[in-house]
DNA sequence: GTGGTCTAGACCACC
DNA sequence: GTGGTCTAGACCACG
């Protein structure tokens, strides 16, 4: 399965699903027109409640990323790729902005922020 | 006032106060031994519930950043500067790590992340 | 084919079939005694599941609009015209009542409702 | 209470709440800035499950009609009036269009539709 | 089998 | 007290 749920993430489980599905579509892991795992199946795999999955899928339908095929399941909608590429950028940017703003408010100058960023990026590469 | 509360920040109001007070101490805006505003005064200034301020101050006392001067109020404790410098670094790092991890999981490579980061950093400088 | 299925209509596909067949009989497009398309044929034409067509036809037999000719198929029953004329009126009335009631509950007065109705009726004529 | 839930309406309960709250705001029954009934209170009054109310309120927040005041409740947002006036018109129009389209497809001409409409409008006035 | 809705009840953070 | 999230389990319409 292509989703990793982290319960102590701060983010709600349903929101993690929403974000990661969007990222998967943006990344091409999920293709347009493809059926996503059924509510019950995904719930079983992630060992969470089906309602939580349903809520995430509902959100994704509101965002026009998924589309309901009655009695069949949910597919990645036609316009999803574009939406998700934009959403991925927007979501990451928003979080970057937050942390930069807080760092700045906290009295760190651009150079210090740069240093921290490079350190973390390197340690991420190493882990990978 | 040196605090900026953003209701739609995701972070709880009390937590924003805690973080920003720590950052102010780290930055030297709040000096060791200085009296912080009273619960009521700060609540009035930020137009938030006094309970929320009280909770933030309680947390700051638990973290040994503030200490109570009986009958006078709360002052920045002697060891606060060191604690807050460390806390600031730790808090910023943690958020940086989160966003980098999510970006990486979302299929962005280091270069793309770099680009986004530089863009945001520049736009932050411009605003300032 | 004389049927138009709209997946995002709110109404179930089988129900759209039922209604439209009744309307076709009321309108005389489908004559009494005429053979309707076979389940498989109609399903192929509308690119929907044969079960869905079968369910619609079952409903129409229950409503005595269609009747089975063993080994031949389903034909429009003798009394169908009368039934369908009544049904058409009843179905349209019911939907009109619903929308009027909701508009009224929503605080629109008769005049405002009239205006909206005339606008929509005109735009319908134009399209036609 | 200003909401009337009809269980056999075809529309989901949560959707009836959404629509009626929007209509109430459009109509001025609910003023901008006003607190709406709490989730638990409304659930009690309508004798439905709090989750159902919560879902409706969530939807209304997505539609920027309501706004969460953490720990306090939900208020009608600043821009809500405009949104709801537009939404009311749009929702009624959509239903009118549906019924007119179906009537037209069903072979009724404009005059017949007019007659039906006038009849229903009169009977509505009488009931009121 | 599928999604959609609803109920019931729990726990959490926040004010 | 408030909303927000999650679990558990039920029923329905649909294909």
């Amino acid at each position: 399965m292509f989703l990793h749920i982290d319960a102590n993430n701060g983010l709600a489980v349903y929101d993690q699903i929403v974000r990661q599905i969007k990222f998967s579509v943006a990344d091409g892991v999920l293709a347009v027109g493809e059926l996503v795992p059924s509510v019950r199946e995904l719930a079983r795999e992630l060992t969470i409640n089906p309602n939580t999955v349903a809520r995430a899928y509902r959100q994704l339908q509101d965002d026009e990323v998924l589309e309901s095929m009655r009695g069949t399941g949910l597919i990645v909608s036609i316009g999803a790729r574009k939406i998700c590429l934009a959403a991925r950028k927007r979501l990451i940017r928003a979080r970057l902005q937050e942390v930069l703003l807080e760092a700045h408010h906290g009295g760190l100058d651009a150079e210090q922020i740069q240093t921290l960023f490079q350190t973390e990026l390197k340690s991420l590469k190493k882990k990978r």
Side-chain angles (χ1 to χ4, degrees), chain A:
Chain A
M1 214 331 80
F2 46 98
L3 301 182
H4 312 261
I5 299 305
D6 176 6
N8 330 1
N9 192 358
L11 282 176
V13 174
Y14 84 92
D15 201 26
Q16 294 183 50
I17 298 175
V18 169
R19 294 171 83 104
Q20 291 187 28
I21 296 257
K22 283 183 183 171
F23 284 13
S24 295
V25 174
D27 207 23
V29 175
L30 274 175
V32 163
E34 195 176 336
L35 268 170
V36 295
S38 81
V39 169
R40 292 163 173 91
E41 184 187 342
L42 187 53
R44 212 182 326 115
E45 285 192 26
L46 302 177
T47 58
I48 59 177
N49 191 287
N51 279 330
T52 304
V53 178
R55 175 164 180 189
Y57 280 1
R58 207 184 307 137
Q59 172 82 47
L60 287 163
Q61 286 181 76
D62 288 348
D63 294 344
E64 301 189 329
V65 170
L66 297 185
E67 191 170 342
S68 172
M69 306 284 291
R70 304 221 303 209
T72 305
L74 297 166
I75 61 169
V76 178
S77 72
I78 300 181
R81 189 78 199 278
K82 196 174 143 205
I83 293 171
C84 291
L85 279 166
R88 180 173 69 175
K89 205 166 188 175
R90 187 173 43 72
L91 291 170
I92 302 284
R93 278 186 118 121
R95 300 196 75 168
L96 265 176
Q97 273 175 19
E98 276 175 28
V99 61
L100 289 184
L101 198 64
E102 187 171 30
H104 174 59
H105 265 114
L108 269 57
D109 61 31
E111 201 183 340
Q112 291 172 295
I113 298 175
Q114 277 274 14
T115 308
L116 272 173
F117 176 77
Q118 300 302 345
T119 312
E120 293 307 325
L121 193 57
K122 269 180 207 155
S123 87
L124 180 69
K125 276 189 206 167
K126 214 162 26 181
K127 263 188 226 160
R128 186 177 40 162

